[in-house]
Amino acid sequence: MIPLEHYLYISAALFSLGVFGVLTRRNAVNVLMSIELIFNSANINLVAFSRFVEGALGGQVFALLVIVIAACEAAVALAIVMSLYRVVKHVNLDDAAELKG
Amino acid sequence: MSDAVQSLSRFLPELILMGALAVVIVADLFTQRRPLKSSTDLLNGIALVGLLGALVTSWQALGAGEAQPLFASMLADDGLLGVFRPIFCLTSIVVLLLGMRSKELEGVRLGEMLALLLTVTAALMWMAGSVNLVMIYLSLETVSVASYLMVGYLSSDRLSNEASLKYILFGAVSTGAMLFGLSLLYGMTGTLDLYGVRAALAEGAFGPGLLFVLILIAAGIGFKIAAAPFHFWCPDVYTGAPTPVTAFLSVGPKAAGFAVLIRFFYLGMAEPAGGGAIAPVGGADWQMLLMMLAVITMTLGNVAALLQTNVKRLLAYSSIAHAGTMLMAACVLSVDGVQAIAAYLAIYLFMNLGAFAVVILAHRVTGSFEIDSYAGFWKRSPLLTVAMGIFLFSLMGIPPFAGFLAKWYVFAAVINAGLGWLAVIGVLNAAVAAFYYVKVLRVMVIDQETGPTPALAFSRLDLALLVVLVVPNVLGLLFWGSLDRVTEVSQTLLELG
Amino acid sequence: MESMASAAIFYGVAALVLGSALYVVVGRNLVHSAFALVAAFFGVAVFYVYLGADFLAGAQVLIYVGGILTLLLFGVMLTNRIYNLNLRSGAIQVVPGALSAGLVFALLVWIIQSVDWGAMDAGDPGPTSESIGRLLVGDYLLPFEIASVLLLIALMGAAMLVRRRGSRS
């Protein structure tokens, strides 16, 4: 049987990797991927605690709702990326001055 | 099941908003072919009726009936929610009217915007009522997702898109950190219920570990109220968003963030200590955490505002500074602090939305958000200048304007709690704030415009809007008694034991 | 012997998850990163199976791998030139980033070790879909309904953004 702590170590590592990605990546889609890692790490915690600490399904329901929210956020974020891409493409992509200001 | 049915009777404002949402979406579909003006008027009318209905029902519900849990203890229908509901409705109504006069939203189909506004108003109420970790997170995310979409509404506009992208990335990181914190808190306490969390924390000391968890959770709440150091999104998003949306973000989500802050810390992280005071549980000194946040937020907001040349950026930093002032009241650890925050928000609503109303009306003629473009406004429109003066003096907190009352509540609560040093920092900050507010007025009154200076004309709606926003600011002191009575209701937080 | 094998698989999957997560955050190629993310999501679903959360494991595969990842890949491929689209603020150098992430990890490890989680194994809960279904229309009715409102506006908003709208310039 895998002890609770091992799940927590894995989720902590996943969370830290997500934080690293958020801090260092400059591409919007890549930051989005790192954020998904953070959501997944929290979900591992929730499900593990649901089994080992609460002994009921509250954490699993929470994790399920988190998956739904993550899907919504990803859809909206990618719609924004597409929309921005369309605008920027027409302006002039290499002209990053406005983007940086 | 019967619990859910019973809860519905205490859920009327939210139900009305959801009903209006459904009608707006359907009406939007059926008016796609109609001319823009008539369909926009129809949709605005439906949304306005819905919001007014929610305002009336939430006003009637205020202070009526015992505090009680709703929907299997997901929400608490108590005084705090009661006071915040009308604040959210009023904010959305003013924002809707501002949207009708905004040059940026002219010629744009508003169906989705109104649907988002109705959703986010209901979601703010869910936030303010949440007493369950699932509800706190879910309602906060609903508000966030709707806000991202409102910020990026002008999807052919580069600034609007950039602001929206920045907002969603920063928001997702903050709420992700908060979610991780919530999951650890769930592990420490074995429950998702805020009252259960408190009971579990009261039994054991978690100390520094709990403090780290609270910092993670504060990231999510701090993001919503735009508190430093979680404010980086704020100036860029405020600048890039359509101005009515900026006005909404500066009041609505901030108010709901404070409601969540009070519920989470005052109910979940503390237990009643008699006489309206509370005592932290679990061995984490979160009062110190909030005090640090308050000092950093106030100081950073005010100092950065001094350097701004764009009025939307200036108001962004000013709204950060106001969040810092309200955070001071959250450090009080008694129900006085709760009332101070409620009173502050009720007044802040009128002064801040007023300032944004002037910005939107000025943009109609100048087409600019630079402070320099306000030169010579005193000659072009004394009315607008006087209105702006009232809003800015109110934001400064100068008597006899209502803003003074707001500051008075906060400082009285802070000093009564024996946090004199915090009050001193607050007063110093208020002095700094006067500089940048006066700077705007100086440009409007003293600076001369170089080009032609046609007088400004306003529609009846503009005038009505300005009057509605000016009156509470001017006559605030007269209504002190009623404000006190109403906001006192916010002190009854639901106690389940 | 069987538990040995099961433990070996678990740690193997853990290594896979962390390895692919590392590739997601350091890889140079966006499409490769997206596929590494698939592996990480699958691994997390395996953890759910180990924890007895069968329904959640299914949802993880369906929604994350089937939905979110497809979206991400579409996003990457339709906006191939977005490689050049950099964010103004937030991004910092690799070394400070690694240091902060390391600090966060160290803090979390310390918390995991110092807190008494009161862990008890409630045992394999058996099939969970029925109980989760009952919870969603019982105690968690309101969150369930709010999630549906959230999905509605997210869909509506995403569709709206991809259509053309007004510009200020």
Side-chain angles (χ1 to χ4, degrees), chain B residues 138-203:
Chain B
L138 184 60
S139 53
L140 197 133
E141 279 287 5
T142 310
V143 171
S144 303
V145 170
S147 313
Y148 306 146
L149 290 166
M150 285 163 85
V151 169
Y153 199 78
L154 301 172
S155 64
S156 301
D157 186 276
R158 185 169 176 168
L159 272 181
S160 180
N161 271 305
E162 277 179 34
S164 185
L165 185 62
K166 201 163 283 176
Y167 196 20
I168 195 166
L169 292 179
F170 204 89
V173 174
S174 313
T175 51
M178 178 184 187
L179 176 64
F180 197 80
L182 289 176
S183 76
L184 288 176
L185 189 63
Y186 169 59
M188 287 174 175
T189 59
T191 174
L192 292 166
D193 184 65
L194 216 46
Y195 301 97
V197 167
R198 169 171 76 189
L201 288 182
E203 280 171 19

Side-chain angles (χ1 to χ4, degrees), chain B residues 265-267 269-274 276-280 286 332-335 493 495:
Chain B
F265 284 105
Y266 281 37
L267 278 183
M269 295 295 127
E271 54 192 2
I278 54 164
W286 52 262
V332 165
L333 301 196
S334 84
V335 288
L493 295 179
E495 282 302 339

Side-chain angles (χ1 to χ4, degrees), chain B residues 4 11 25 71-72 74-75 104 108-109 112 115 119 126 135 138 142 145-146 149 152-157 160 166 169 180 187-188 192 208-209 212 236 240-241, chain C residues 85 87-89 104 107-108 110-111 115-117 137-144 146-147 149-150 152-154 156-158 160-161 163-169:
Chain B
F11 205 53
I25 291 177
F71 295 104
M74 288 292 145
L75 295 181
E104 295 152 282
V108 178
R109 287 213 167 261
E112 284 94 349
T119 312
W126 294 324
M135 271 302 296
L138 184 60
T142 310
V145 170
L149 290 166
Y153 199 78
L154 301 172
S155 64
S156 301
D157 186 276
S160 180
K166 201 163 283 176
L169 292 179
F180 197 80
M188 287 174 175
L192 292 166
F212 181 69
D236 290 334
Chain C
L85 184 78
L87 294 166
R88 181 172 69 110
S89 55
V104 168
L107 259 173
L108 285 173
W110 173 73
I111 290 176
V115 172
D116 171 25
W117 300 99
V137 292
D139 285 357
Y140 290 89
L141 178 67
L142 185 65
F144 181 63
I146 293 178
V149 173
L150 175 60
L152 171 73
I153 58 149
M156 197 188 67
M160 164 201 94
L161 281 180
R163 289 208 309 262
R164 191 154 292 278
R165 292 247 165 208
S167 164
R168 268 171 299 198
S169 46

Side-chain angles (χ1 to χ4, degrees), chain B residues 67-116:
Chain B
Q68 66 175 62
L70 302 184
F71 295 104
S73 280
M74 288 292 145
L75 295 181
D77 183 12
D78 56 12
L80 185 68
L81 178 62
V83 172
F84 273 77
R85 266 177 180 162
I87 292 181
F88 301 143
C89 293
L90 270 175
T91 309
S92 296
I93 290 172
V94 174
V95 166
L96 186 142
L97 297 176
L98 291 179
M100 290 164 75
R101 298 300 297 152
S102 164
K103 200 168 155 193
E104 295 152 282
L105 293 176
E106 257 171 23
V108 178
R109 287 213 167 261
L110 284 183
E112 284 94 349
M113 177 66 100
L114 294 170
L116 289 169

Side-chain angles (χ1 to χ4, degrees), chain A residues 6 8 11 20 26-27 31 33-34 38 40 42 46 49-50 54 56-58 60 63 72 75-76 79 83 85 92 96:
Chain A
H6 290 201
L8 299 184
S11 113
F20 175 74
R26 299 184 67 86
N27 181 290
V31 173
M33 293 181 186
S34 310
I38 293 181
N40 268 278
L46 287 173
F49 288 137
S50 168
E54 190 190 16
L57 290 177
Q60 288 201 27
C72 287
V76 170
S83 171
Y85 170 68
N92 178 8

